[in-house]
Amino acid sequence: MCGIVGYAGNRDALSIIIGGLESLEYRGYDSAGVSVLDGGTIDTTRATGKLSELKRVLAAKKRDGSAPLGIGHTRWATHGRPTETNAHPHSAGRVSLIHNGIIENYIPLRAMLEERGCVFLSETDTEVAAHLLNTLLADGLKPLDAMRAMCAQVKGSYAFLAIDAHHPDRVLVAKNSTPIIIGRGEGENLIASDIPAVLQHTRRIVVLEDGDLAEVTASSVYVENRGAEVVRKEETIAWDPITAQKGGFKHFMLKEIHDQSRVVGDTLRGRMSEHDGSVKLPELELLRERAHSLKRIVMVACGTAWHACLEGKFFIEEFAGIPCEVDYASEFRYRSGLIDNDTLVIAVSQSGETLDTLGALECASGKGLTLAICNVVGASICRKADMVLYTHAGPEISVASTKAFTTQLVALQLLALFLAEARSTMPAAARRNVLRAMVELPAALSQTIKIDSEVAAVAKKFFQARDFLFLGRGRCYPIALEGALKLKEISYIHAEGYPAGEMKHGPIALIDESMPVVMVLQREKPLFEKTLSNLKEVEARGARVIVVTDATDEDMQGIVTQGMIRVPFVSHELSPILLNIPLQLLAYHVAVLNGTDVDLPRNLAKSVTVE
Ligand code: AGP
C-alpha cells in the first residue's frame, strides 16, 4: 500500500508532491523518492527510511528554480528490501516511473528486457515496467500508446505514474486493482493513490476505474479505457484531512475491516495456479527441498497471530500430514522446545517486531528450519528467519489486528497447500478444489461485509453487558478466541473464548441472563450438530445467544436466538475466515457504543517490543 503523488501545473511540483506524500504518511513506508521534470531533464532523488530522510537529502541538493511537473512515491515494500536502489521512482532511459501494486509476471518480462540489453539495478518488480515503457517509447510509440502497450504486457495489480523526458508537459497514468484519484485544479492537476494527498489544493476529485489510462497535463485530463475515451464523474469531497486518511470511515479499524477483500486478493495474487492445483512460492524453495524430511512443525506467535496459528494447524495437518504444535511465543522461548533438524518453526507476526516472537525465533534458529510469516518487509523477524512468506495486508494502523489476521490465515492455507504438494500428501484434484474456493474468497468477503448493519443492531442490544462468552468447536474455536480478544481489547469488556464442548466442565456455571454467548457455528459435520447441542445447553440456562454461522435457514430451523448473523458459504476450510468478520464488526460497534478509543485502546501498543 504505497503512497503515490503526481503533479502537472504552474507551481513548484516538488513542494506539492512532498506535501502530498506527507499526508499519506498513515500508509506507512520504508523508503521514498521523487522525480521532477523541467524542460527535458528528469531529476530523481530517493532515500530509505521516513520522508524526513528524503527531505534532508533534497535540502542538501542544489536546485535551480522549480519544475512544474513531477511524481513522488513512498514505498511499502512487497518485493525487494527497503533500500535506496529499490526505492521508487525507477528510471530507465527517458522514463521515470512509480508503482503501487504487484506485477506477477515481472520475472519473464525482466528476462525478455535483459535480452534486449536492459540493465536492471533493483530487486523490484516495478523496474520492469520502467524499462518496458522506455523500450516502447524508444521504438517510436507516442506516450499514451506506449503506456497502453506496456500495461497490455503486465499481469497483476498496478497504479502507475510515469513521466517521459521527451514530453515534459504530461504525466502518464494507468490503473488496475490499485486506487488512483485525480484532483482537478485551476491551471493544475494532481494525481494520487488517495484523497488526502490533494485535499489542500482541491476538493474536485475524479476516481479512476480498473483498465483506465490517463494523460494528465496542467490544463487537461484525458482518460480512456480499452482504447476508447471515457469520462469519469467528478465529485466534490467534503472530508477534513483526517477523515480522508480513513477513507471516509470513522476509524482506521473499520476501514481495515472493509479493506480485507482487497488485501486478501493482494496476498493471493500471483501465488496460485488453479489449473494444476499448485501454489507458487519461490521464496520457500528451501522448504520444498526439506519438506519430505520434516517430522514436526511448531508455530509461535502472540495474540491475534497466535489465533491464526491455531487455525493454520488445521490446514497444515489436514493437507500436509505433519503434526503441528502451536505455542505462545512468550512460553516457547523459556522451554527447551526439543527443536531438531526435522522441525520447522513458523513465527507469525504482523509487525515482525514483537519481542516475544523474535525471542522464540532466536531460540529455534540454528536448531531447526525457521520460517517467518510477516506483513512488514525487512522487519526484525524476517531478517532472523531462514525464509519469509509475506502477507500483503498493507500497513495496519489500528491497534486491533483485523486484515493482518485474515491475510495470515490465507498465507497459512497457501503454505499448507505448498507443503501438501511438496510432500505428495494431497492429490492435485483436491488441491485444485481448495484453490478454486480461495479464488472466491475476496468476493465472499465483500459479500460478508454487507452484514454490518445487522451486526450493529445486535451490538445495540448487548453493548452494556459486562461479560461475554465466545464459543466454537474445531475450526471455529480459534475464531471464538479471536472474537473474544477483539471485543476485550477495544471495548474493555471481559470476554472469554472457549471450546464449546468444554462448557459443561465448569464454565457453564457462569451462564445466566446477564451473560451474552456468541456461538461460532459452522455447518461442517459432525461438529455442527454437536455445537447445536452446546447452544441448547447454554440457552437452557438462560443465556442470551448470538449465533454467527455459515448454515442455511433450513439447517437452523427451530433454533431461536437473540441474534442470528449469516455469512456466505465457500468451503469448510474458509468458513472460519468469513465467520470472523461479524466478530470484528461486533467488537467495533460495541466499542463505539461504549465510547472507547477504538484505534488506540488503553494500555495497548500496535507492536509490543517489550517482554
Ligand atoms: C491484536 O489485535 C493485538 N493488537 C495483539 O494481540 C497482536 O496480535 C499481538 O501483539 C501480536 O502482534 P504481531 O502480530 O505484530 O506480532
Side-chain angles (χ1 to χ4, degrees):
M1 192 160 102
C2 307
I4 276 188
V5 180
Y7 177 79
N10 46 33
R11 293 190 287 157
D12 175 25
L14 183 63
S15 57
I16 291 170
I17 290 167
I18 294 295
L21 293 178
E22 280 169 341
S23 66
L24 299 178
E25 200 151 4
Y26 70 94
R27 297 170 72 95
Y29 48 88
D30 41 56
S31 54
V34 60
S35 286
V36 291
L37 173 47
D38 190 7
T41 311
I42 294 179
D43 177 17
T44 298
T45 311
R46 303 181 296 179
T48 49
K50 293 200 176 302
L51 203 51
S52 51
E53 190 48 31
L54 176 65
K55 287 161 69 175
R56 189 186 61 75
V57 174
L58 284 166
K61 275 180 94 168
K62 289 252 170 299
R63 285 179 64 224
D64 41 357
S66 68
L69 183 129
I71 55 177
H73 185 274
T74 52
R75 184 170 180 242
W76 175 267
T78 55
H79 289 76
R81 289 159 298 130
T83 61
E84 186 179 332
T85 313
N86 288 336
H88 302 207
H90 285 283
S91 305
R94 58 196 259 200
V95 162
S96 180
L97 176 138
I98 56 180
H99 169 222
N100 183 17
I102 296 168
I103 298 176
E104 295 172 26
N105 60 334
Y106 78 98
I107 292 172
L109 284 177
R110 178 166 174 150
M112 178 271 287
L113 290 162
E114 283 172 332
E115 282 289 304
R116 289 194 56 171
C118 294
V119 177
F120 285 83
L121 305 174
S122 81
E123 306 161 314
T124 68
D125 52 341
T126 303
E127 193 182 359
V128 165
H131 279 288
L132 188 50
L133 180 59
N134 181 60
T135 306
L136 292 161
L137 287 166
D139 288 348
L141 271 65
K142 292 199 182 93
L144 199 57
D145 296 340
M147 195 73 170
R148 191 183 308 114
M150 183 268 278
C151 293
Q153 296 184 54
V154 164
K155 274 177 61 188
S157 60
Y158 51 78
F160 288 131
L161 296 194
I163 53 180
D164 168 11
H166 296 190
H167 295 84
D169 62 338
R170 69 197 70 179
V171 179
L172 300 170
V173 184
K175 190 258 187 217
N176 186 46
S177 298
T178 308
I180 284 190
I181 58 102
I182 295 175
R184 300 300 311 265
E186 297 307 318
E188 62 183 22
N189 288 301
L190 294 93
I191 311 104
S193 40
D194 208 353
I195 289 170
V198 306
L199 267 193
Q200 63 185 61
H201 306 292
T202 178
R203 289 185 175 277
R204 296 166 50 204
I205 303 295
V206 172
V207 178
L208 293 192
E209 296 182 15
D210 283 355
D212 281 359
L213 288 168
E215 198 166 57
V216 179
T217 69
S219 57
S220 66
V221 174
Y222 168 81
V223 184
E224 67 168 53
N225 195 304
R226 294 193 178 82
E229 183 174 6
V230 292
V231 177
R232 297 297 177 213
K233 188 160 85 51
E234 185 177 295
E235 301 164 40
T236 303
I237 298 293
W239 295 336
D240 63 79
I242 293 296
T243 307
Q245 289 190 353
K246 297 169 188 167
F249 290 100
K250 196 171 171 205
H251 297 100
F252 278 113
M253 182 180 177
L254 192 57
K255 177 173 186 279
E256 287 157 6
I257 290 172
H258 282 251
D259 239 1
Q260 291 179 107
S261 170
R262 183 176 61 77
V263 299
V264 163
D266 287 350
T267 301
L268 287 171
R269 186 165 286 111
R271 291 170 157 175
M272 304 189 298
S273 171
E274 216 190 311
H275 169 69
D276 56 17
S278 69
V279 168
K280 308 287 180 208
L281 296 173
E283 61 270 47
L284 303 190
E285 210 36 53
L286 176 58
L287 181 57
R288 184 189 295 281
E289 290 161 15
R290 301 267 296 270
H292 275 291
S293 63
L294 286 181
K295 298 276 185 305
R296 170 171 169 256
I297 290 178
V298 179
M299 304 162 92
V300 293
C302 302
T304 286
W306 182 76
H307 298 150
C309 294
L310 288 174
E311 195 66 47
K313 171 184 168 77
F314 285 95
F315 305 147
I316 292 173
E317 290 189 340
E318 280 170 34
F319 295 170
I322 305 178
C324 224
E325 294 162 42
V326 178
D327 221 334
Y328 281 117
S330 54
E331 292 294 314
F332 175 83
R333 60 188 298 207
Y334 297 107
R335 269 208 310 274
S336 72
L338 299 177
I339 305 302
D340 63 19
N341 215 23
D342 296 335
T343 307
L344 170 66
V345 176
I346 304 174
V348 180
S349 173
Q350 187 284 131
S351 63
E353 300 300 340
T354 300
L355 198 61
D356 284 325
T357 310
L358 185 59
L361 189 59
E362 281 165 349
C363 293
S365 291
K367 295 178 196 160
L369 194 58
T370 59
L371 164 64
I373 294 180
C374 187
N375 195 41
V376 181
V377 173
S380 302
I381 282 172
C382 307
R383 294 198 302 273
K384 174 59 65 182
D386 295 325
M387 299 164 284
V388 186
L389 176 58
Y390 284 113
T391 53
H392 293 155
E396 189 174 66
I397 311 297
S398 188
V399 166
S401 187
T402 51
K403 61 178 185 172
F405 175 72
T406 299
T407 55
Q408 284 163 358
L409 295 184
V410 167
L412 283 161
Q413 184 139 135
L414 288 172
L415 175 65
L417 287 168
F418 178 87
L419 284 167
E421 185 179 355
R423 292 166 50 88
S424 313
T425 52
M426 195 174 177
R431 297 201 309 271
R432 265 198 298 276
N433 286 340
V434 175
L435 287 175
R436 210 166 286 132
M438 293 177 86
V439 166
E440 289 177 43
L441 188 55
L445 282 163
S446 293
Q447 186 58 31
T448 302
I449 209 75
K450 291 175 183 165
I451 54 150
D452 186 28
S453 52
E454 278 176 70
V455 178
V458 170
K460 275 206 184 76
K461 286 162 69 176
F462 294 100
F463 76 97
Q464 290 165 315
R466 297 325 305 152
D467 297 283
F468 271 77
L469 212 45
F470 288 71
L471 302 179
R473 296 182 75 135
R475 302 175 203 278
C476 293
Y477 169 46
I479 303 304
L481 292 173
E482 173 58 12
L485 175 62
K486 280 290 101 41
L487 183 72
K488 75 178 93 171
E489 71 173 323
I490 65 172
S491 65
Y492 317 149
I493 293 172
H494 171 249
E496 200 169 347
Y498 225 85
E502 269 298 293
M503 277 307 298
K504 50 192 174 296
H505 300 285
I508 202 161
L510 294 170
I511 300 293
D512 61 24
E513 294 70 26
S514 69
M515 168 84 80
V517 174
V518 179
M519 190 66 84
V520 188
L521 176 58
Q522 194 173 355
R523 70 189 338 178
E524 185 177 27
K525 304 211 181 311
L527 287 181
F528 175 66
E529 289 81 4
K530 303 287 182 202
T531 311
L532 275 186
S533 309
N534 301 141
L535 190 157
K536 287 173 184 147
E537 283 161 15
V538 296
E539 265 191 334
R541 286 151 179 88
R544 297 184 295 161
V545 180
I546 303 156
V547 173
V548 178
T549 184
D550 61 358
T552 63
D553 285 336
E554 197 183 334
D555 295 329
M556 298 303 289
Q557 237 167 14
I559 306 292
V560 178
T561 65
Q562 301 285 321
M564 174 82 73
I565 298 163
R566 278 202 178 71
V567 302
F569 176 78
V570 175
S571 72
H572 293 315
E573 294 86 4
L574 295 176
S575 270
I577 294 178
L578 298 170
L579 289 165
N580 183 51
I581 304 301
L583 304 191
Q584 294 172 339
L585 291 168
L586 179 65
Y588 173 77
H589 288 298
V590 168
V592 168
L593 288 165
N594 280 300
T596 55
D597 186 338
V598 171
D599 284 329
L600 288 170
R602 68 186 183 196
N603 312 337
L604 288 174
K606 183 58 188 169
S607 175
V608 182
T609 54
V610 294
E611 290 218 43

